[in-house]
């Protein structure tokens, strides 16, 4: 238990460092996809430190300043309820997947309040789009989770991870306990939803720098933006860790970190070659094929467990 | 603060104010051919996030007001780069009634890139120069702007009503 | 101290008369009298040393029975607890004498309804409640048209209830429901459910709600939506539990859920979703809250329809949550309307600096509405989802989850359009809402947060109800709720959130230099000076892109369906009028003969049976 | 083409000169401009291309040129009027061709020609302009530039920008 608390205290720092590293390597990979040389992999750290080292702090109001703080706190608390693979369950025995689904929302909600007080219409449009995108991807995603709950008879993430546990060693590879193999359709649906959660193309309507001047971030600069970048890094870690915990069996640290990274890179590669949907199209997309696939996945699960 | 300056030099987020023909030289610099992202330079959408204000081309009095307002909205430390002959001395608009001739009278220009137009190689070279200068703390235009605020405002006031256009007077 | 329900009702009526008389002389002292008396009544209902005894009296061979079951007590406390808070909010609006009189009469009839154990007195008090409620709805002149729809739907519900009661009587020759006789009777089930579905504004019969909520007096709307609509779920549980889950299961099961319950759950889910969509597209703050109310009551129906102990616990928990946050939201909004004199969302904006307390309470309200953890909204959502997961109702889950995500959308729209964005130039001199609006909303938001930390406290209460209804209780402690699938610790998650927030906030205060405050004009507008900051407001048609996507849904509104039905009726009556009132004496004679013949034949058939 | 011009001449009684293959010009009196344009619009000149102004300072006149385009006959017709430079007032044609509203605003701003009846003669592109209209030939640009914008180097005292020169 004490070790667990230590892990919990360290988890946010590790997650921030990992998330920033993922973004940095991701930028390099995107650059290579576009036949560029690309920035160094540690570029994101430099950017973050630079932003935090900016000297001017201009704020539109109390909640404008509190928004990023609330976002960061929301992301960190979510993080603690997601196990770090099978290595450290952190607090995940004290809350289950439904709690996590709602804790994830705190960060955008806090951000939304700050953005709203920024009194810039671009930010408000960005938030309206972000919430709509959430409306779009949550429905298929919750159905994908539903099939997992059907299969494992639990909503606790730690127990879902345990149910996929095999013998983990470098020599012996027991990947076949993964829910990805048991529930392939649901895993695909969840991965499609992950694309929207991470806000990668074709679902980057929220940021859309060319349309709405980077949307929610339009009035944020300097240190606040630094906090938002950290929050984004945390967000990337949370979403990918959730996916790996549920569908790729968590696993020990040497598997967990590369797994989260490859899940992120997969969505980034898709991001690299696609243009952007209109927000209405994104809604139509998610409520079309992925939703039907999710329902098929559930029916498949019901057949499998019988 | 020299360590922080090293970080600042390696991460330059740029707001490009594209008037006139200078804008056409930017796409090759941004994209695969010259790839400025490898130096940590990426274009930004709003002044709040940017470090460099890049002015590519002539500035009419009318656009100068907006540029100054944009500059004042940026978070310091910040730098201004004048790009092309038009920002140096008016260039081909040397006798135009509407465009300004010397940008440094109104904004603290840290670096001029001369030429009509400067080639992408010139821009890259200038960015590297800027990067070195920022890392060593050589470029401090934003400090000068604060120190000599009245001097700059006096110059600006000759062209337009600064009270109406500056964010600091509201 | 012991007293009967009859005493309680009489005392409330008496309090209403006293208040009315005082208000006649002086509005302000009338309001204060009303407030004090209502606090007294709440005290009487809450204080554990006071025992409210059952009462029954017989006239002829009929016995009226009034008794408070565990379920009734829950609702009694809900109603009598909310009552003084709502009354408090009326103080600054200074209403007329009959306003308070009717308000007290509504409370009296509601208490009569929830305590009556026989059908006739239930019907009597239920109808009285509808009538007084109608009289309060039309307190404002603008609401007369909306009130017409309200009373019409009330009458339809009342008739349905009466018909159901007569049917029960025809079956059992008794005005009390007993399980054996009712088994297998769809008709009674339908007739005895319809009035409550109307009260809860479930989807096909919801048409009275948006306009009534929008037009009725602002504070009364809080009571109407937050409190009175809960009578629907009380009625449903009151009648349905008589059948028992096993009795209902006799009609067949879908996914381990009785068919009737499954249908109710689907009605609830569709109500929740469509209500949420209408809410996020509405341009009027009260209409938004009205549709939100419809949507939230849909969740209660979903929980109720699952017919498991988790589902009913979820329904009852959400009843409590919704009562608290919707009453609060309507009171806060009433305060804002009191200052602004407008209900249009596009005429508000940027009020956060002018009304900080209202903002904070509304913020807590929408967090509870969205069901996000530090408030008690999450616990009720959690129970409903657990119930859905447990019974493997995946399509329902999808619809309910879509609805609850849509709730984020309209909740954000509510807070954004009123409080965020640039301050409207016309609202420069707005002041904070008066104290009578703020105090009740602060008290209620305190409850929302407190029960968010200790989600087990209300659940213990609900467990008592479940056990009295013969169902399994939910495993819980003060801080945790656990189900067969999982569980959560409310105190842990909330306190960790608060502490991390605190740590970052302190770091922020230490490390960050003092922020330079910038005004609304100093925003990124591509260098332009916004001389009119109203142009920066993004509030009307906030989700325009969704309007395009949900276009079909909007076109297929239920109201149009009713209009079409009305049109058909008008046409029919027109034809009938032309046939009957043609001015020809022969025709009248024939008509009379025809009607007489019909009666005779029907009597003969009846006799033959 | 020539047929059309001849026909146009016959119908409207105007003195039209053919200049190039698809170009013709016509000079009318200042008072007749509205009537002429109305007639020409009836004949099929539906497109009002632009309105230009020439400052004949020696003759003390402004020449306004209305450029019209006939789509079917492919004829670019220039209708010219002369107005007095000292009292530059002419009647608007913005009710005949709605687009003329903007062109008239521009001419008003750049030359100071007033258009009677134009409902939207508000300032166009110049902001805070206090001098005589800048496109008039008696406006001395050089002098104005010399007054307004300093050209000598005097940033030495404050802050000297660095240079990147490429020859």
């Amino acid at each position: 238990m004490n070790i667990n608390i230590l892990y919990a205290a360290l988890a946010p720092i590790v997650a921030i460092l990992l998330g920033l590293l993922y973004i940095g390597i991701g930028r390099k990979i995107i650059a290579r996809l576009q036949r560029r040389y690309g920035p160094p992999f540690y570029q994101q750290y430099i950017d973050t430190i630079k932003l935090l080292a900016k000297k001017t702090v201009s704020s539109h109001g109390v909640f404008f300043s509190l928004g990023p703080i609330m976002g960061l706190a929301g992301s960190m608390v979510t993080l603690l309820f997601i196990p770090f693979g099978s290595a450290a369950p952190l607090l995940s025995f004290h809350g289950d997947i439904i709690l996590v689904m709602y804790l994830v929302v705190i960060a955008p909600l806090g951000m939304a309040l700050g953005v709203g007080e920024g009194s810039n219409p671009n930010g408000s449009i960005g938030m309206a789009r972000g919430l709509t995108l959430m409306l779009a991807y949550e429905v298929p995603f919750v159905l994908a989770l539903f099939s997992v709950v059907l299969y494992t008879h639990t909503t606790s993430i730690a127990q879902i991870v345990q149910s996929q546990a095999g013998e983990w060693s470098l020599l012996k590879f027991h990947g076949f306990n993964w829910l990805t193999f048991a529930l392939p359709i649901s895993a695909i649906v969840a991965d499609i939803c992950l694309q929207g959660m991470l806000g990668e193309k074709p679902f980057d309507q929220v940021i859309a720098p060319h349309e709405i001047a980077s949307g929610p971030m339009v009035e944020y600069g300097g240190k606040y933006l630094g906090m938002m970048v950290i929050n984004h890094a945390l967000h990337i870690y949370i979403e990918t860790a959730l996916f790996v915990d549920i569908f790729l069996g968590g696993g020990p640290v040497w598997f967990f970190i590369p797994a989260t990274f490859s899940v992120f890179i997969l969505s980034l590669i898709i991001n690299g070659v696609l243009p952007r949907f209109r927000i209405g199209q994104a809604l139509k997309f998610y409520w079309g094929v992925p939703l039907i696939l999710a329902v098929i996945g559930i029916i498949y699960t019901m057949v499998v467990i019988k | 603060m020299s360590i922080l300056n090293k970080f600042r030099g390696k991460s330059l987020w740029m707001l490009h104010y594209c008037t006139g023909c200078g804008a056409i030289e930017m796409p090759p610099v941004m994209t695969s051919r010259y790839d400025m992202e490898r130096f940590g330079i990426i274009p930004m959408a709003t002044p709040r996030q940017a470090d460099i204000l890049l002015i590519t081309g002539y500035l009419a009095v009318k656009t100068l007001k907006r540029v100054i307002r944009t500059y004042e909205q940026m978070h310091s430390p910040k730098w201004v780069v004048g790009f092309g002959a038009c920002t140096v001395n008016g260039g081909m608009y040397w006798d135009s009634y509407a465009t300004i001739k010397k940008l440094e009278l109104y904004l603290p220009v840290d670096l001029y890139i001369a030429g009509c137009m400067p080639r992408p190689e010139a821009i890259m070279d200038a960015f590297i120069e800027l990067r070195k200068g920022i890392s060593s703390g050589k470029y401090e235009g934003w400090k000068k702007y604060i120190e000599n605020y009245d001097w700059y405002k006096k110059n600006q006031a000759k062209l337009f009503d600064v009270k109406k256009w500056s964010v600091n007077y509201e | 101290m012991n007293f009967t329900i009859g005493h309680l009702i009489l005392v409330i009526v008496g309090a209403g008369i006293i208040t009315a008389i005082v208000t006649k002389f002086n509005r302000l002292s009338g309001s204060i009298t009303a407030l004090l008396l209502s606090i007294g009544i709440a005290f009487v209902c809450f204080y554990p040393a006071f025992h409210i005894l059952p009462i029954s009296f017989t006239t002829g061979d009929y016995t009226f029975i009034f008794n408070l079951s565990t379920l009734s007590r829950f609702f009694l406390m809900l109603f009598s607890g909310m009552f003084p808070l709502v009354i408090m909010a009326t103080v600054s609006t200074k209403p007329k004498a009959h306003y308070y009189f009717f308000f007290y009469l509504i409370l009296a009839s509601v208490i009569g309804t929830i305590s009556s154990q026989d059908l006739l007195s239930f019907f009597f008090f239920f109808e009285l409640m509808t009538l007084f409620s109608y009289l309060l709805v039309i307190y404002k002149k603008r609401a007369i048209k909306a009130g017409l729809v309200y009373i019409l739907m009330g009458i339809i519900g009342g008739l349905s209830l009466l018909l159901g009661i007569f049917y029960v009587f025809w079956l059992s020759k008794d005005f009390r429901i007993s399980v054996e006789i009712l088994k297998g009777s769809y008709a009674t089930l339908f007739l005895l459910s319809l009035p409550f579905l109307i009260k809860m504004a479930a989807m096909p019969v919801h048409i009275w709600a948006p306009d009534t909520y929008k037009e009725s007096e602002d504070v009364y709307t809080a009571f109407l939506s937050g409190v009175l609509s809960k009578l629907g779920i009380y009625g449903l549980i009151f009648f349905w539990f008589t059948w028992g889950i096993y009795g209902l299961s006799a009609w067949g099961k879908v996914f381990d859920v009785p068919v009737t319950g499954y249908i109710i759950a689907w009605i609830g889910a569709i109500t929740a979703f469509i209500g949420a969509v209408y809410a996020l597209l509405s341009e009027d703050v009260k209409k938004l809250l009205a549709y939100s109310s419809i949507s939230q009551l849909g969740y209660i129906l979903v929980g109720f329809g699952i017919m498991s102990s988790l589902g009913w616990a979820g329904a009852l928990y959400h009843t409590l949550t919704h009562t608290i946050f919707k009453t609060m939201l309507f009171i806060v909004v009433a305060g804002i309307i009191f200052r602004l004199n407008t209900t249009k969302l596009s005429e508000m904006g940027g009020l956060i600096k002018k009304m900080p307390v209202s903002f904070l309470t509304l913020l807590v309200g929408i967090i509870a509405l969205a069901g996000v953890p530090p408030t008690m909204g999450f616990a009720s959502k959690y129970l409903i989802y657990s119930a859905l997961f447990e019974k493997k109702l995946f399509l329902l889950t999808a619809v309910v989850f879509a609805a609850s995500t849509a709730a984020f959308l309209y909740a954000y729209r509510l807070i954004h359009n009123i409080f965020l964005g640039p301050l409207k130039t016309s609202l420069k001199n707005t002041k904070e809402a008066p104290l009578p609006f703020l105090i009740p909303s602060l008290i209620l938001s305190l409850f929302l947060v407190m029960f968010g930390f200790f989600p087990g406290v209300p659940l213990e209460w609900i467990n008592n109800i479940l056990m009295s209804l013969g169902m399994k209780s939910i495993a819980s402690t003060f801080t945790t709720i656990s189900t067969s699938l999982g569980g959560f610790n409310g105190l842990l998650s909330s306190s960790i959130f608060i502490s991390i927030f605190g740590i970052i906030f302190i770091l922020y205060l230490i490390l960050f230099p003092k922020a330079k405050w910038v005004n609304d004009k100093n925003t990124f507008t591509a260098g332009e000076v916004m001389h009119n900051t109203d142009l920066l407001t993004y509030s009307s048609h906030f989700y325009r892109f969704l309007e395009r996507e949900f276009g079909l849904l909007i076109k297929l509104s239920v109201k149009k369906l009713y209009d079409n039905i009305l049109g058909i009726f008008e046409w029919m009556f027109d034809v009938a009028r032309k046939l009957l009132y043609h001015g020809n004496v022969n025709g009248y004679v024939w008509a009379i003969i025809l009607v007489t013949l019909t009666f005779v034949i029907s009597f003969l058939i009846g006799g033959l049976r | 083409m020539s047929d059309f011009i001849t026909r146009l001449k016959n119908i409207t009684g105007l003195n039209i000169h053919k200049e190039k293959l698809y170009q013709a010009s016509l000079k009318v009196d200042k008072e007749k401009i509205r009537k002429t344009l109305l007639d020409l619009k009836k004949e099929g000149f539906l497109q009002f291309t632009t309105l230009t102004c020439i400052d004949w300072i020696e003759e003390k006149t402004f020449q306004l040129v209305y450029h019209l385009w006939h789509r079917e006959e492919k004829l670019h017709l220039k209708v010219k009027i002369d107005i007095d430079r000292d009292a530059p007032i002419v009647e608007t044609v913005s009710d005949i061709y709605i687009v003329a509203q903007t062109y008239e605003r521009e001419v008003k701003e750049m030359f100071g020609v007033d258009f009677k009846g134009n409902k939207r003669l508000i300032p166009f592109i110049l902001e805070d302009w206090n001098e005589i209209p800048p496109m008039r030939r008696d406006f001395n640009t050089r002098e104005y530039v010399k007054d307004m914008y300093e050209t000598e180097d005097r940033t030495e005292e404050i802050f000297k920008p660095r240079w990147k020169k490429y020859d």
Side-chain angles (χ1 to χ4, degrees), chain A residues 57 59 94 96 116 124 219 224, chain C residues 382 412 416 421 489 508 516 524:
Chain A
V57 180
S59 168
H94 296 282
D96 58 7
S124 304
E219 278 301 302
Y224 294 125
Chain C
Y382 183 85
Y412 181 61
H416 177 275
N489 189 332
Y508 167 79
K516 191 179 85 185
F524 167 64

Side-chain angles (χ1 to χ4, degrees), chain D residues 10-63:
Chain D
N10 290 341
I11 294 166
T12 55
L14 295 168
N15 191 15
I16 298 172
H17 304 285
K18 188 178 170 190
E19 290 177 346
K20 288 177 193 168
L21 181 56
Y22 294 126
Q23 222 173 57
S25 75
L26 156 74
K27 192 148 187 177
V28 292
D29 284 345
K30 170 182 163 185
E31 288 76 21
K32 280 188 187 159
I33 180 66
R34 283 181 57 82
K35 188 186 170 298
T36 314
L37 288 194
L38 271 172
D39 288 350
L40 288 171
K41 194 177 182 183
K42 251 180 244 164
E43 293 309 316
F45 285 95
L46 293 177
Q47 180 179 325
F48 185 91
T49 312
T50 185
L51 166 65
T52 54
C53 181
I54 307 158
D55 186 4
W56 298 112
I57 193 162
E58 295 83 4
E59 285 134 44
K60 292 198 179 334
T61 52
F62 283 130
Q63 190 173 50

Side-chain angles (χ1 to χ4, degrees), chain C residues 257-321:
Chain C
V257 175
V259 169
T260 41
Y262 193 66
I263 293 166
I264 289 277
W266 265 109
I267 290 175
I270 290 167
T271 307
F273 179 67
I274 297 179
V277 169
Y278 277 108
L280 66 91
L281 296 181
S282 49
E283 296 292 311
D284 183 290
V285 59
K286 285 189 80 181
K287 215 159 189 169
L288 190 151
L289 283 177
Y291 277 119
S292 147
S293 184
I294 292 170
S295 168
Q296 298 291 326
L297 286 163
Y299 291 118
I300 298 179
L301 277 181
V302 172
F304 171 78
I306 299 168
M307 308 290 288
S308 69
S309 69
L310 263 180
W312 280 27
L316 286 170
Y317 208 114
H318 201 65
T319 306
L320 181 65
T321 316

Side-chain angles (χ1 to χ4, degrees), chain B residues 25 44 96 107 160:
Chain B
E25 300 292 334
M44 276 290 138
S96 162
L107 281 178
F160 57 88

Side-chain angles (χ1 to χ4, degrees), chain A residues 57-61 63 65 91 94 96 99 102 112 116 120 124 131-132 146 150 154-155 219 223-224 280 284, chain C residues 353 359 370-371 378 382 392 397 404 409 412 416 421 485 488-489 492 496 508 512 516-518 524 545 549:
Chain A
V57 180
S58 56
S59 168
H60 278 271
F63 264 83
S65 313
L91 302 175
H94 296 282
D96 58 7
L99 181 72
Y102 274 89
N120 194 315
S124 304
L131 290 165
T132 309
F146 197 98
L150 271 187
T154 178
T155 51
E219 278 301 302
K223 302 197 179 208
Y224 294 125
K284 258 188 197 160
Chain C
K353 291 187 183 78
F359 170 77
F378 175 67
Y382 183 85
K392 300 169 186 171
T397 313
S404 97
L409 272 76
Y412 181 61
H416 177 275
L485 294 168
F488 78 99
N489 189 332
L492 189 76
I496 286 181
Y508 167 79
F512 278 39
K516 191 179 85 185
W517 300 104
V518 295
F524 167 64
F545 34 85
E549 302 307 323

Side-chain angles (χ1 to χ4, degrees), chain C residues 372-570:
Chain C
V372 176
T375 57
M376 71 186 289
F378 175 67
S380 50
K381 290 267 168 72
Y382 183 85
L383 287 169
I384 291 171
Y385 286 131
S386 297
L388 285 166
F389 275 43
E390 191 191 51
K391 294 277 182 184
K392 300 169 186 171
L393 299 161
F394 59 92
L395 284 177
L396 268 174
T397 313
V399 178
V400 171
F401 211 84
S404 97
T405 317
F408 292 133
L409 272 76
Y410 65 73
Y412 181 61
R413 181 171 188 196
L414 184 68
I415 200 157
H416 177 275
N417 287 11
I418 299 176
F419 288 107
L420 305 176
L423 180 67
K424 282 259 170 182
T425 37
S426 55
L427 306 177
K428 277 238 160 76
N429 302 320
T430 318
K431 276 180 280 183
E432 175 62 273
L435 271 185
F437 290 107
L438 296 181
I439 293 168
S441 41
L442 278 174
I443 292 170
L444 290 171
S445 57
L446 199 70
F447 273 108
L448 286 175
V449 176
M450 201 177 71
F451 288 145
F453 278 75
F454 301 101
V457 177
L459 197 63
E460 207 162 306
W461 207 3
I462 286 162
N463 273 339
N464 285 339
I465 299 169
L466 288 179
M467 279 190 280
S468 80
L469 299 180
M471 294 173 120
K472 270 189 295 181
S473 58
I474 315 295
S476 69
T477 63
F478 279 135
T479 57
T480 59
I481 293 178
S482 43
T483 66
S484 62
L485 294 168
F488 78 99
N489 189 332
L491 182 66
L492 189 76
S493 55
S494 309
S495 54
I496 286 181
F497 172 68
I498 300 281
S499 48
I500 293 180
F501 183 81
I503 291 168
I504 301 174
F505 185 62
I506 290 163
L507 282 179
Y508 167 79
L509 289 182
I510 296 167
L511 295 178
F512 278 39
K514 200 174 181 308
K516 191 179 85 185
W517 300 104
V518 295
N519 58 8
D520 285 346
K521 272 186 192 174
N522 187 356
T523 58
F524 167 64
T525 44
E528 192 58 55
V529 177
M530 273 292 154
H531 296 293
N532 180 7
T533 45
D534 286 359
L535 296 175
L536 290 173
T537 313
Y538 177 65
S539 75
S540 69
H541 296 277
F542 199 73
Y543 296 110
R544 171 157 272 165
F545 34 85
L546 283 179
E547 268 168 47
R548 201 160 44 208
E549 302 307 323
F550 290 134
L552 195 68
L553 204 67
I554 299 161
K555 265 187 209 155
L556 292 172
S557 76
V558 180
K559 205 165 175 179
K560 274 183 193 155
L561 178 75
Y562 280 100
D563 282 349
N564 286 344
I565 293 174
L566 188 74
I568 292 166
F569 270 105
E570 268 177 5

Side-chain angles (χ1 to χ4, degrees), chain B:
Chain B
M1 285 292 113
S2 61
I3 300 168
L4 288 180
N5 276 338
K6 290 260 184 305
F7 286 111
R8 282 177 190 135
K10 287 188 176 175
S11 158
L12 296 170
W13 292 1
M14 179 187 73
L15 183 74
H16 44 291
Y17 193 87
C18 291
T19 57
C21 40
I24 210 68
E25 300 292 334
M26 290 316 290
V29 183
M30 289 176 196
T31 50
S32 315
R33 181 67 199 261
Y34 293 96
D35 184 26
M36 68 185 184
E37 202 190 346
R38 65 197 152 117
F39 300 116
I41 304 164
I42 41 176
M44 276 290 138
T46 83
R48 301 276 187 207
Q49 305 163 353
D51 308 313
I52 312 176
L53 180 60
L54 182 76
I55 293 158
T56 64
Y58 67 87
L59 283 177
V61 176
K62 202 173 167 182
T63 47
L64 180 71
K65 297 167 187 172
R66 272 85 177 169
V67 166
I68 287 168
R69 199 179 155 79
T70 305
Y71 178 74
E72 286 176 358
Q73 282 182 343
M74 283 165 68
H75 288 185
S76 56
K78 51 192 173 185
W79 298 275
V80 182
V81 177
F83 174 100
C86 300
T87 53
V88 180
N89 58 4
M92 63 186 280
Y93 303 99
W94 63 278
D95 66 341
S96 162
Y97 63 93
T99 62
I100 60 152
K101 311 303 166 213
K102 293 175 85 68
L103 181 59
E104 76 235 38
L105 290 174
Y106 313 104
L107 281 178
V109 182
D110 290 278
L111 191 71
Y112 273 131
I113 311 173
C116 183
M117 305 298 303
R119 298 260 313 144
E121 292 93 333
I123 303 169
M124 295 305 297
D125 196 38
F127 275 141
I128 291 165
E129 164 75 26
L130 191 72
R131 185 182 167 152
K132 278 182 199 156
I134 291 169
S135 296
S136 59
K138 215 160 60 180
Y139 290 107
E140 290 185 320
W142 58 279
K143 271 188 195 161
K144 300 285 176 195
Y145 190 73
I146 298 165
E147 283 163 14
N148 305 299
Y149 195 66
D150 293 338
W151 187 83
Y152 282 109
K153 282 290 151 192
K154 211 180 87 209
N155 287 346
Q156 290 164 12
K158 211 169 163 194
L159 303 183
F160 57 88
D161 183 8
V162 280
K163 287 247 161 66
K164 208 169 134 192
W165 283 90
S166 174
V167 289
N168 293 345
Y169 283 109
E170 277 161 2

